[in-house]
């Protein structure tokens, strides 16, 4: 089956591929832990009500711009709302009443599931070695080249509209069908077999104008001259700061309108976001790029963000800080008085290596720190201390019971002498337990997706979990059968080798004895007997081979039966969905019939009213006529005659005409 083929159920493509991978690989209990992804998404702009649901949860919250978006997270734009999400250099724009799920987001793959609504995707960079895909309820759109793409999904009608403004995309159906759309082409698809329909959904001119304006602002960004467009959140640097050139660090960025005692990583909160864990979420509107890429340095009286060396693929970090006190197995926590302990941290300076608080490969750590280098290599840190650890006012300290429990303000900060921090060890993680450490989701969302959409997602989620468990069990069963077959084959081979060795040993021994005795006849008989034994052994080997083949056939049949059962379950699910769709259509038809009945009743009432008015007018006319005949009512006023056009007199005839008019007038007759 094609890699992009859909499952027979209404399942996104990535989940089918996940099941296939589980089926092929099996349950690898000792699998090596992978590095976390180096790419995330960010809510770059929102207008109106935008709601957010974290991965693995059904609750919805008000969206936070500086909270990183990763695999499994969902967004919903309410009516008349809009949102812009940046995934590296790519931009995703969502119109009102649009629901998307970031089904897979890592260094090599961006897979978005658009369950409902209208969106625009702009891909800027080359896609070599990467996969960008948008799944809807009935197809998968694979982006083949940089460009701009429009997608509208209507789950009630089971249709998807795809328009390629520039670039190239390939549409994939569930049974291996595919169709390519080039620039300035569009297609409306019904069902999951790429059945083309005519027409396109109603266009929103205001959304088109908004998208064009966002493209213009993005193209004219000043910060894009100093950092890679893969640095998520660089757009906000244009509005809230200024770029300068420094002789030591090169191009640096200074934030505007910050307090005199402000320091990086001081206004925000610490949250727990998988798979990184401890993550900094800043409160400033520009507080994403400077806190997840590059380093901070004190240049004169001001803090400056040093982006470091521009690279094509910068790696996202949850927080580039060092914690004073703590670490694994270290009890040297900060004491803030009254027997209380605190947690302190400071921003890493240019050239300083960041160590994550989670397990990662050396290659990952090298990629994360590759941007830390800057122009003046002689100004790098010494090996015995960190530059900002001893910088006055650089360390932020809060009580341990406030750490990781929502945003903290100025009243929560603890002021300690700067020389206290020089005697405390530095670690990549705080030295306190993370009990009650939350995800910092914020307030519950004021608006959520429609109940039917949430119910459908819940059913898909539950079914997907059950399907993955079933596939894991199938993979385990197949792997166990293969292991048993391999063990039996190895045992048979070992037994055959042992028997062959014994036979050869006995043959040599008997040959020596017979040669000594000179019994040629016995030697011939024994030779025939040995040939018979060898034939029997070959027959046994053939039987063992047939048994092994039969076991493999039974395993294949079991797998086919399981797939058939799964297909039956999928067909039943499809039938249930079709039945639900038919019920919805029947309900719509009933509503339309009721509306037509109400309209017909209104028309009948209008006709009846018109007839009553006509009868009343006729009766009134009859009464007036009778009254006129009896002399009780004056006759109706005479109608005014319509003026007629008089012929224009010819020259020389005007006087004669006037005389004849005077002679025929009533006054002249009386005279």
């Amino acid at each position: 089956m094609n890699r992009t083929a859909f499952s027979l159920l209404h399942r996104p493509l990535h989940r089918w591929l996940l099941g296939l991978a589980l089926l092929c690989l099996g349950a690898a209990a000792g699998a090596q832990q992978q590095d976390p992804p180096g790419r995330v998404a960010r809510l770059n702009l929102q207008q109106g009500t935008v709601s957010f649901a974290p991965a693995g949860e059904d609750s919805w919250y008000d969206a936070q711009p500086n909270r990183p978006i990763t695999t499994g997270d969902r967004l919903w734009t309410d009516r008349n709302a809009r949102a812009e999400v940046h995934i590296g250099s790519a931009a995703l724009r969502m119109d009102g009443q649009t629901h998307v799920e970031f089904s897979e987001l890592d260094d090599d793959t961006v897979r978005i599931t658009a369950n409902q609504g209208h969106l625009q995707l702009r891909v800027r960079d080359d896609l070599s070695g990467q996969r960008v895909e948008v799944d809807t309820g009935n197809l998968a759109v694979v982006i083949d080249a940089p460009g701009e793409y429009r997608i509208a999904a209507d789950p009630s009608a089971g249709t998807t509209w795809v328009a390629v403004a520039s670039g190239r995309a390939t549409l994939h159906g569930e049974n291996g069908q595919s169709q390519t759309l080039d620039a300035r082409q569009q297609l409306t698809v019904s069902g999951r077999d790429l059945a083309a329909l005519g027409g396109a959904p109603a266009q929103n001119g205001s959304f088109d104008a908004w998208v064009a304006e966002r493209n213009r602002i993005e193209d004219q960004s000043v910060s894009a001259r100093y950092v890679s467009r893969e640095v998520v959140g660089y757009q906000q640097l244009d509005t809230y700061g200024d770029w300068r050139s420094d002789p030591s660090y090169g191009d640096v960025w200074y934030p505007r309108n910050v307090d005199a005692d402000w320091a990086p990583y001081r206004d925000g909160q610490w949250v727990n976001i998988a798979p990184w864990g401890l993550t900094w979420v800043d409160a400033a509107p520009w507080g994403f790029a400077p806190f997840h890429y590059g380093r901070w340095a004190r240049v004169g009286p001001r803090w400056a963000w040093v982006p470091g060396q521009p690279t094509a693929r910068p790696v996202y970090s949850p927080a580039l800080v060092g914690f004073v006190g703590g670490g694994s197995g270290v009890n040297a926590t900060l004491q803030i008085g009254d027997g209380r302990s605190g947690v302190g941290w400071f921003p890493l300076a240019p050239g300083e290596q960041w160590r994550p608080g989670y397990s990662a490969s050396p290659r990952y750590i090298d990629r994360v720190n590759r941007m830390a280098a800057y122009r003046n290599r002689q100004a790098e840190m010494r090996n015995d201390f960190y530059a900002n650890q001893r910088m006055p006012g650089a360390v932020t300290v809060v009580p341990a019971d406030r750490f990781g429990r929502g945003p903290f303000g100025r009243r929560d900060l603890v002021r300690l002498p700067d020389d206290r921090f020089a005697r405390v060890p530095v670690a990549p993680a705080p030295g306190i337990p993370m009990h009650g450490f939350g995800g910092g989701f914020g307030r519950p969302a004021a608006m959520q997706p429609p109940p039917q959409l949430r119910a459908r997602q819940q059913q898909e989620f539950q079914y997907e979990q059950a399907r993955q468990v079933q596939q894991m069990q199938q993979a385990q069963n197949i792997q166990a059968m293969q292991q048993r077959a391999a063990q039996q084959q190895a045992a048979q081979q070992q037994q055959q080798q042992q028997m062959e060795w014994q036979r050869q040993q006995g043959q040599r021994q008997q040959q020596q004895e017979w040669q000594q005795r000179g019994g040629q006849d016995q030697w011939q008989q024994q030779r025939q007997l040995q040939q018979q034994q060898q034939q029997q052994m070959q027959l046994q080997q053939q039987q063992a081979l047939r048994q092994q083949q039969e076991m493999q056939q039974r395993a294949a049949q079991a797998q086919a039966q399981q797939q058939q059962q799964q297909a039956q379950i999928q067909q039943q699910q499809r039938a249930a969905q079709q039945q639900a769709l038919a019920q919805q259509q029947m309900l719509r038809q009933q509503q339309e019939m009721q509306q037509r009945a109400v309209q017909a009743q209104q028309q009948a009432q209008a006709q009846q009213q018109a007839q009553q008015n006509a009868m009343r007018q006729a009766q009134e006319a009859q009464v007036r006529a009778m009254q006129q005949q009896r002399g009780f009512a004056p006759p109706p006023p005479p109608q005014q005659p319509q003026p007629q056009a008089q012929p224009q007199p010819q020259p020389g005839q005007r006087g004669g005409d006037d005389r004849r008019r005077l002679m025929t007038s009533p006054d002249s007759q009386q005279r």
Side-chain angles (χ1 to χ4, degrees):
M1 183 177 289
N2 192 293
R3 182 179 181 270
T4 54
F6 278 74
S7 65
L8 293 178
L9 283 172
H10 182 59
R11 300 276 81 81
L13 174 67
H14 72 283
R15 296 176 178 173
W16 184 85
L17 293 176
L18 176 62
L20 181 62
L22 290 173
L23 189 60
C24 296
L25 296 178
Q32 184 177 2
Q33 183 178 1
Q34 295 182 353
D35 294 330
R39 177 166 56 182
V40 297
R42 176 184 183 266
L43 181 61
N44 196 61
L45 178 68
Q46 66 181 83
Q47 296 179 357
T49 302
V50 180
S51 304
F52 165 81
E57 293 196 15
D58 296 330
S59 302
W60 287 83
Y61 305 89
D62 289 343
Q64 300 181 26
N66 287 334
R67 180 185 176 86
I69 298 174
T70 186
T71 300
D73 293 343
R74 290 155 289 166
L75 287 176
W76 164 258
T77 55
D78 200 51
R79 187 184 300 273
N80 299 325
R82 286 172 185 152
E84 179 183 80
V85 180
H86 274 261
I87 314 165
S89 62
L92 175 69
R93 279 74 179 248
M94 304 166 54
D95 201 2
Q97 294 184 311
T98 299
H99 179 280
V100 298
E101 177 183 355
F102 296 87
S103 305
E104 188 174 356
L105 182 56
D106 54 30
D107 298 343
D108 303 322
T109 305
V110 176
R111 182 171 288 114
I112 302 169
T113 301
N115 296 315
Q116 173 181 316
H118 194 169
L119 56 88
Q120 186 255 7
L121 178 64
R122 187 188 193 191
V123 179
R124 301 185 64 101
D125 295 338
D126 183 44
L127 296 176
S128 58
Q130 300 187 53
R131 184 179 184 87
V132 178
E133 180 179 316
V134 179
D135 298 340
T136 66
N138 56 324
L139 58 83
V141 183
V142 178
I143 308 301
D144 298 327
E148 296 188 19
Y149 306 87
R150 296 284 291 273
I151 300 173
D154 186 356
S156 61
T159 61
T160 299
W161 172 72
V162 182
V164 180
S166 61
R168 185 179 66 257
T170 303
L171 279 57
H172 296 271
E174 69 172 358
N175 294 322
Q177 305 93 337
S178 63
Q179 182 168 347
T180 301
L181 293 181
D182 292 321
R184 296 182 295 278
Q185 289 184 342
Q186 61 178 344
L187 181 66
T188 301
V189 175
S190 175
R192 293 182 289 273
D193 296 329
L194 297 186
L197 294 178
Q203 300 298 312
N204 187 348
S206 61
F207 180 66
D208 297 339
W210 181 73
V211 167
E213 178 64 14
R214 296 305 304 168
N215 285 339
R216 185 190 65 81
I217 294 175
E218 180 181 348
D219 293 338
Q220 297 179 357
S221 173
V222 176
S223 298
R225 307 172 190 172
Y226 302 95
V227 297
S228 168
R229 289 188 182 270
E230 290 287 337
V231 174
V232 178
Y234 74 89
Q235 296 87 352
Q236 277 67 34
L237 304 179
D238 297 339
T239 307
Y240 297 97
D242 304 288
W243 288 93
R244 297 287 185 270
S245 179
D246 183 80
S248 298
Y249 305 112
D251 295 323
V252 299
W253 180 83
Y254 294 94
R256 303 195 205 109
N257 301 324
V258 294
D259 297 334
D261 59 346
W262 177 87
Y265 300 95
R266 182 161 293 176
D267 186 11
Q269 60 176 321
W270 291 98
V271 299
N272 184 14
I273 299 178
W276 301 275
L278 194 62
T279 302
W280 174 259
V281 178
D282 202 80
W286 50 268
F288 194 90
F291 299 102
H292 301 291
Y293 307 91
R295 301 290 189 270
W296 283 90
R298 192 74 169 266
V299 180
R302 304 177 64 186
W303 285 99
W305 179 56
V306 184
Q309 295 180 347
T311 58
R313 293 295 300 275
V315 180
Y316 163 87
S317 302
L320 296 162
V321 301
F323 287 93
V324 288
S328 178
V330 180
N331 297 320
T333 56
L334 286 175
Q335 298 300 319
I336 59 176
D338 298 332
R340 302 173 63 195
S341 61
V343 179
W345 61 90
F346 59 88
L348 295 180
E352 296 178 348
Q353 297 291 306
W354 174 71
R355 293 180 298 161
Y358 45 84
S359 59
S361 66
R363 176 178 176 272
Y364 172 83
I365 297 176
D366 177 70
R367 291 176 58 224
V368 169
N369 291 296
R370 196 170 298 169
M371 292 178 60
Y374 55 97
R375 181 180 301 175
N376 188 356
R377 303 288 296 181
Q378 297 179 355
E380 291 183 359
M381 58 161 281
R382 293 171 54 188
N383 294 327
D384 56 347
F385 69 92
Y386 290 85
N388 291 330
Q389 182 182 4
R390 299 185 178 183
M391 184 68 64
V395 180
T396 301
V397 180
V398 297
D401 55 2
R402 283 290 293 116
F403 184 79
R405 287 164 176 79
F408 46 83
R410 286 182 169 273
R411 63 179 181 275
D412 299 316
L413 301 179
V414 178
R415 305 294 181 182
L416 295 177
D418 294 324
D419 57 358
R420 288 277 302 274
F421 308 124
R423 299 188 298 270
V424 181
V426 176
I432 62 172
M434 295 290 115
H435 300 305
F437 195 74
F441 301 130
R443 297 176 302 179
M447 301 300 297
Q448 299 183 11
Q452 60 270 21
L453 182 61
R454 297 201 306 271
R456 182 165 61 251
Q457 293 171 358
Q458 181 66 20
Q459 292 176 359
E460 291 179 359
F461 179 74
Q462 293 176 354
Y463 175 82
E464 186 64 23
Q465 284 186 331
R467 189 175 64 86
Q468 290 180 5
V469 171
Q470 182 181 5
Q471 289 178 346
M472 289 281 288
Q473 293 176 352
Q474 292 177 2
Q476 291 176 356
N477 294 336
I478 293 174
Q479 186 179 12
M481 293 178 65
Q482 292 176 351
Q483 289 178 354
R484 287 196 298 270
Q487 290 175 357
Q488 292 178 0
Q489 183 178 3
Q492 290 175 359
Q493 291 178 354
Q494 184 177 4
Q495 184 178 5
Q496 291 172 2
Q497 291 175 358
Q498 183 70 20
M499 292 175 62
E500 180 66 18
W501 182 81
Q502 292 177 357
R503 186 187 64 81
Q504 292 176 358
Q505 290 292 333
Q507 184 177 0
R508 284 194 294 268
Q509 184 176 1
Q510 291 177 1
Q511 183 177 2
Q512 291 175 359
E513 292 177 355
W514 290 336
Q515 287 178 354
Q516 291 176 0
R517 297 175 183 177
Q520 296 296 330
D521 295 337
Q522 293 180 357
W523 165 253
Q524 294 293 337
Q525 294 177 359
Q526 188 66 22
R527 185 179 181 86
Q528 293 177 358
L529 180 62
Q530 290 176 355
Q531 290 178 353
Q532 293 177 358
Q533 292 178 353
Q534 186 174 4
Q535 291 176 356
Q536 291 179 357
M537 185 178 298
Q538 291 178 354
L539 181 62
Q540 291 178 357
Q541 291 178 354
Q542 293 176 358
Q543 291 177 352
L545 181 60
R546 283 198 300 270
Q547 290 177 357
Q548 182 179 359
Q549 292 176 352
E550 290 175 356
M551 290 183 63
Q552 292 178 351
Q553 290 178 357
R554 286 196 297 270
Q557 291 175 357
Q559 181 179 0
Q561 291 177 358
Q562 291 175 349
Q563 292 178 351
Q564 185 177 4
Q565 293 176 358
Q566 184 177 1
Q568 292 176 356
I569 295 174
Q570 293 173 350
Q571 291 177 357
Q572 294 175 359
Q573 184 71 15
R574 173 186 280 184
Q577 292 177 352
Q578 292 178 352
Q579 183 178 1
L581 182 60
Q583 292 178 355
Q584 292 178 358
Q585 293 177 352
M586 185 180 298
L587 180 61
R588 286 198 299 269
Q589 291 176 358
Q590 291 177 356
Q591 292 176 351
E592 292 176 356
M593 291 177 62
Q594 292 177 357
Q595 291 177 356
R596 287 196 294 269
V598 170
Q599 292 176 357
Q601 183 178 2
Q602 292 176 352
Q603 291 178 357
Q605 292 177 354
Q607 293 178 358
Q608 184 178 2
Q609 184 67 28
Q611 292 177 358
Q612 291 177 358
N613 293 337
M615 292 177 60
R616 186 169 58 253
Q617 292 176 0
Q619 292 175 357
E620 291 177 354
Q622 185 178 4
V623 170
R624 285 196 300 271
M626 294 176 62
Q627 289 177 352
Q628 290 176 2
Q629 292 177 0
R630 297 176 182 177
F632 293 134
Q639 296 181 355
Q640 298 294 333
Q642 297 294 331
Q644 298 181 356
Q646 299 295 334
Q648 297 294 331
Q650 299 294 328
Q653 296 182 358
R654 182 174 182 85
D657 293 340
D658 294 340
R659 285 195 299 271
R660 284 194 297 272
R661 191 179 303 111
L662 291 173
M663 291 175 65
T664 58
S665 64
D667 295 339
S668 64
Q669 293 178 1
Q670 291 178 3
R671 288 196 298 267

